[in-house]
């Protein structure tokens, strides 16, 4: 019988995170202070983050040791399994070999606790007792609520209104782990109240929810802000995924020709891909593919520019592909991919042609999700289903070219709390939205006059 799962023992858990900044051919450009236009220093960030995370944000060390206490919590679900998707290969009728790394086995159901646990740990060690954050799909909010509960911290979650309404059980999950949760925009912050006054019916966006969580943390000494994606230290924590996958692909006796992941802010994609991009920089031939929604096509159609990470311009200026900080993406069901920007490390690697990106319509993505569930069994999160569709497209193109490829993708989470989205798909109610050119031009006006990356 051929093997389906490749499993590592707990003793094989990677003990270091991989920092791609040490190997990048073009160093990422600095994050700027919006008032002075100068690079931000540790002191500028200290009101929001503990010093250890600020140091990881700017570290040039190729590897960062993972503290024992974090490894101990990781063993609740790590190492995660790597699967050969034989049944999917058959259902798709492809000659290519498809593998996937499954992060949905974590208690909250996605890759997000890999960084939530690390962030809660460093905050606690530096004396903070409360964290504030945003959440889109609810995966990040539940991951941080879970991590805070395990480490004994309070947690406040601002959940994008459309997801708050679409996913009542993510809310219940966040409450089960003891966190406070409100729909965003909310009445609890100044920027939330201002947005509600102007746009009372807004579905919300990650950009707005980030503004609220940052304002919350900046106003209280006991509170740090915690971000579930985009920042260098978040991507760093996720690299445990790709390091495990490297070992598991070796167990399977293969090396991927293609590595695929979905991209919201970029953390699950980077987590799987960066250890492979390290190999690519060292000379191996790998196609690294980032998959995003056509409704929020940050990497494929956004500008590489300096922009704010949030709608109310409370964050520093970040060099990234952006659709403009006041862009509110259409309410597609992949709530975790509705972000106007993307991680600067990924943006820079796209600029340097080490990563490429594609954008997909949601009915194609859901068709791929159902094909996957029907063959492999697991019901994927709509976000992760973008990577499934990207993988199937790679396999189809390889078949057409008469080639066989080995494709590895990240199944970043399960979709057990996304069944309303599946219901809409089965009822034929999903709208296929590709971002309109005029709306894109309008939204990009917001970054006029900001500094331009070198
Ligand atoms: C399951 C899942 N995958 C992917 C994402 C996108 O985030 P990121 O690009 O940071 O991995 C999310 C975000 O909420 C998610 O819940």
């Amino acid at each position: 019988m051929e093997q389906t799962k490749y499993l590592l023992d707990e003793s094989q858990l990677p003990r270091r995170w991989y920092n791609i900044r040490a190997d990048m051919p073009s160093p990422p450009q600095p994050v700027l202070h919006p008032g002075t236009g100068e690079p931000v220093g540790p002191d500028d960030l200290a009101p929001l983050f503990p010093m250890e995370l600020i140091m990881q944000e700017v570290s040039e060390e190729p590897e960062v040791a993972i503290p024992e206490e974090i490894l101990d919590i990781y063993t609740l679900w790590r190492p995660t399994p790597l699967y050969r998707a034989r049944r999917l290969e058959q259902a798709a009728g492809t000659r290519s070999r498809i593998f996937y790394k499954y992060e949905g086995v974590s208690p909250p159901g996605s890759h997000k606790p890999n960084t939530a646990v690390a962030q809660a740990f460093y905050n606690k060690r530096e004396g903070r007792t409360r964290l504030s954050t945003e959440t889109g799909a609810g995966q990040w909010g539940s991951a941080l609520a879970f991590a805070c509960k395990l480490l004994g911290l309070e947690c406040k979650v601002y959940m994008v209104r459309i997801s708050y309404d679409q996913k009542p059980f993510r809310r219940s999950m966040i409450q089960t782990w003891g966190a406070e949760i409100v729909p965003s925009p909310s009445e609890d912050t100044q920027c939330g109240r201002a947005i509600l006054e102007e746009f009372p019916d807004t579905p919300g966006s990650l950009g707005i929810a980030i503004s609220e969580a940052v304002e919350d943390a900046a106003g209280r000494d006991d509170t740090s802000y915690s971000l579930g994606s985009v920042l260098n230290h978040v991507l760093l924590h996720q690299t445990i995924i790709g390091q495990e996958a490297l070992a598991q692909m070796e167990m399977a006796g293969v090396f991927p020709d293609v590595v695929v992941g979905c991209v919201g802010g970029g953390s699950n994609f980077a987590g799987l891909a960066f250890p492979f991009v390290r190999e690519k920089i060292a000379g191996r031939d790998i196609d690294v593919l980032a998959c995003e929604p056509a409704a929020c096509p940050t990497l494929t159609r956004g500008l590489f520019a300096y922009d704010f990470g949030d709608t109310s311009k409370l964050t520093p200026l970040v060099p990234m592909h952006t659709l403009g900080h006041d862009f509110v993406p259409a309410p597609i069901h992949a709530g975790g991919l509705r972000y106007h920007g993307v991680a600067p490390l990924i943006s820079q690697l796209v600029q340097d042609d080490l990563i490429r990106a594609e954008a997909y319509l949601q009915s194609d993505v859901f068709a791929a999700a159902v094909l996957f569930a029907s063959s492999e069994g697991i019901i994927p999160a709509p976000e992760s289903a973008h990577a499934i569709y990207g993988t199937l497209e790679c396999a189809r193109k390889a078949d057409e070219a008469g080639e066989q490829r080995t494709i590895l993708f990240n199944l970043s989470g399960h979709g057990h709390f996304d069944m309303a989205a599946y219901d809409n798909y089965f009822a034929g109610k999903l709208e296929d939205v590709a971002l309109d050119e005029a709306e894109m031009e309008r939204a990009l006006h917001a970054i006029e006059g900001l500094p331009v990356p070198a």
Side-chain angles (χ1 to χ4, degrees), residues 110-112 137 139 229 262-268 336-337 381 383-384 412-413:
S110 78
H111 63 295
K112 296 284 182 182
Q139 288 271 21
S229 191
C262 69
V263 173
S267 71
N268 87 87
L337 307 186
E383 290 82 5
S384 322
S412 53

Side-chain angles (χ1 to χ4, degrees), residues 107-353:
S110 78
H111 63 295
K112 296 284 182 182
N114 296 331
T115 183
V117 168
Q119 293 190 43
F121 169 78
Y122 291 117
N123 271 291
K124 182 174 180 181
R125 204 168 67 176
E126 293 185 31
R128 310 270 171 113
T129 57
R130 181 176 174 273
L131 297 182
S132 66
T133 197
E134 74 294 326
T135 194
Q139 288 271 21
W140 168 243
S142 21
L144 195 68
F146 157 75
C148 284
K149 178 49 79 187
L150 258 61
L151 285 149
L153 301 177
E154 283 178 59
C155 181
K156 165 96 179 248
V157 179
Y158 295 85
M159 183 168 187
V160 176
R161 170 168 282 286
I162 177 88
S163 301
Y164 188 89
D165 294 338
Q166 280 172 347
K167 299 199 195 182
F169 296 127
R170 273 280 162 203
R171 278 192 246 158
S172 322
M173 206 170 178
I174 289 169
Q175 283 165 335
T176 303
W177 280 314
E180 188 191 342
I181 173 161
V182 288
S184 166
S186 76
E187 294 287 347
D188 293 6
T189 62
Q190 240 173 40
C191 59
R193 288 190 291 275
I195 291 168
L196 278 176
E197 207 174 295
E198 206 178 331
F199 308 103
D201 297 325
T202 177
S205 70
L206 276 168
I208 295 171
I210 292 174
S211 295
E212 293 208 275
V214 168
E215 183 185 320
D216 179 316
R220 293 178 58 150
D221 285 345
D222 63 350
T223 302
S224 274
Y225 168 59
S226 181
L227 185 61
S229 191
V230 181
L231 298 176
N232 301 348
H233 68 265
V234 180
L235 275 50
L236 173 82
H237 301 152
Q238 293 294 354
T239 57
I240 192 151
I241 303 173
Q243 294 187 79
E244 286 179 6
L246 269 169
Q248 288 162 309
M249 291 299 276
E250 204 176 312
M251 282 167 82
V254 288
F255 193 83
D257 302 305
V258 193
V259 175
V260 185
C262 69
V263 173
S267 71
N268 87 87
F269 170 75
L272 178 69
F274 281 3
F276 290 92
V277 175
R278 181 187 213 175
E279 302 288 323
K280 184 166 178 169
I281 293 169
R284 283 190 102 138
D285 184 18
I286 317 171
D287 181 19
V288 185
L289 173 63
C291 306
E292 59 183 15
C296 190
T298 320
L299 284 170
T300 47
R301 291 174 62 199
L303 284 186
F304 181 61
Y306 270 107
D307 195 7
F308 293 96
D310 72 314
T311 306
S312 299
K313 305 195 263 192
L314 300 178
T315 69
L317 289 168
V318 182
M320 61 181 176
H321 288 83
T322 178
L323 296 164
H325 53 262
D326 66 3
F327 173 63
V328 177
I332 53 162
H333 282 284
L337 307 186
R338 293 176 68 242
Y339 182 58
H340 67 273
V342 69
L345 293 178
I346 294 177
S347 283
Q348 188 60 56
L349 292 163
V350 167
Q351 289 299 98
D352 290 345
D353 287 332

